[in-house]
Amino acid sequence: RGGADPMAENAPDSLWQPVQKARAHELVIEAIEDRILSGALQVGDALPPERELSTSLEVSRAGVREAVRVLEAQGVLRSQPGAGATAGTFVAALPRDALTRFLRLHVALSNFTIQDVTDARVVLERASAASASRRHDDTARSRMVEALDRMDQPHSSRDSFNEADTQFHLAIAEASGSALSAALTAAIRSAMKVPILRAAERTEEWPDEAQRLRREHRAIYAAIDEGNPARAADLTEAHIRRAASVLFGLESPDSRA
């Protein structure tokens, strides 16, 4: 009876330990992230009040506020003003917008090259196309057809074509049944929206290229609709790599073979 109670060591009060004083807000961020990764904090859970968190971590309240602002901008936390049980700072599900903003900025800063993004798209979208062909999501397939029809509109501008192209690939990701695949696809396509549009504007033979893209999209959809995972995946990779070779001057699929 006189020994330490193992359960006491895991009590909620023990979750928040003092941190070493350096850049206070970064240490607070690390402390919050550690608790999320350990499962101690999950989506919907509330953080302790600012004063309590400041005391537990032995940092200034200004450091806590700055950490909360950073994590809110990243989409990890959300703050609800007011009073009562619904007020406070809560762990939030990471929205697509936060992930999109992150990728868009890093692509713009060339931290991720076009080749890096293209290779990532191939891995991600091959899997999505194969999964979409195994599942029968009528809603997502209807979105694919709508996007294809929008791309088929005569005299479609490069901008509107690019929007429909994005919606087609996103519909495939959503049809895969993976929320993460859909979020990553949306983030990557949004990050690449401006580079793709600028590349299309530089393409002298755009009408011919747009027609090739239409044929490739239709072939991908047909493979998905027929329930042919291998063909859907192969056509998706060939499409992504060929388009990248035309728009961005990357190695063509043939030269990589």
Side-chain angles (χ1 to χ4, degrees):
R1 286 177 180 264
D5 182 357
M7 295 300 294
E9 296 178 2
N10 296 321
D13 289 344
S14 68
L15 291 176
W16 305 100
Q17 301 294 333
V19 294
Q20 295 180 350
K21 293 180 175 63
R23 298 189 63 175
H25 80 279
E26 292 180 352
L27 294 172
V28 175
I29 290 172
E30 184 177 350
I32 293 172
E33 288 177 344
D34 285 346
R35 282 146 187 79
I36 292 173
L37 293 173
S38 71
L41 283 176
Q42 299 182 4
V43 172
D45 288 347
L47 263 61
E50 181 184 292
R51 183 188 299 275
E52 180 182 334
L53 195 53
S54 172
T55 301
S56 298
L57 299 178
E58 296 185 358
V59 297
S60 67
R61 295 179 67 176
V64 173
R65 285 194 295 272
E66 179 63 19
V68 169
R69 279 195 292 267
V70 170
L71 291 174
E72 281 184 321
Q74 294 177 356
V76 177
L77 300 178
R78 61 178 176 83
S79 292
Q80 182 67 37
T86 60
T89 301
F90 301 87
V91 180
L94 180 67
R96 287 184 184 178
D97 288 348
L99 186 59
T100 297
R101 183 165 56 249
F102 170 83
L103 282 175
R104 184 169 59 237
L105 290 174
H106 281 276
V107 169
L109 292 170
S110 298
N111 291 333
F112 300 138
T113 66
I114 297 298
Q115 184 68 66
D116 289 338
V117 175
T118 299
D119 290 341
R121 282 192 62 197
V122 166
V123 173
L124 180 65
E125 296 193 41
R126 275 187 65 94
S128 291
S131 294
S133 69
R134 296 188 187 100
R135 301 177 74 252
H136 297 283
D137 186 332
D138 291 337
T139 300
R141 293 194 183 188
S142 293
R143 293 195 189 103
M144 293 181 215
V145 173
E146 289 173 6
L148 291 170
D149 290 343
R150 285 176 57 196
M151 281 185 276
D152 282 346
Q153 291 179 0
H155 311 300
S156 176
S157 69
R158 288 169 170 83
D159 191 17
S160 61
F161 188 98
N162 189 26
E163 289 285 352
D165 191 331
T166 296
Q167 291 306 310
F168 175 72
H169 286 272
L170 181 54
I172 293 174
E174 290 172 341
S176 74
S178 169
L180 179 57
S181 293
L184 288 171
T185 298
I188 291 173
R189 288 294 306 211
S190 178
M192 291 299 298
K193 179 180 177 180
V194 172
I196 288 175
L197 181 58
R198 288 175 177 168
E201 290 171 345
R202 292 192 300 268
T203 302
E204 295 181 0
E205 302 298 329
W206 172 248
D208 292 339
E209 175 59 21
Q211 191 58 35
R212 280 191 292 271
L213 292 171
R214 291 186 185 102
R215 288 196 300 268
E216 290 169 358
H217 288 145
R218 290 283 180 184
I220 292 169
Y221 175 76
I224 290 173
D225 197 44
E226 292 165 4
N228 191 330
R231 179 167 173 75
D234 289 344
L235 288 173
T236 297
E237 176 171 1
H239 161 66
I240 292 171
R241 293 203 185 280
R242 190 204 63 76
S245 72
V246 172
L247 295 175
F248 300 110
L250 301 185
E251 288 184 281
S252 68
D254 292 340
S255 66
R256 291 168 67 97

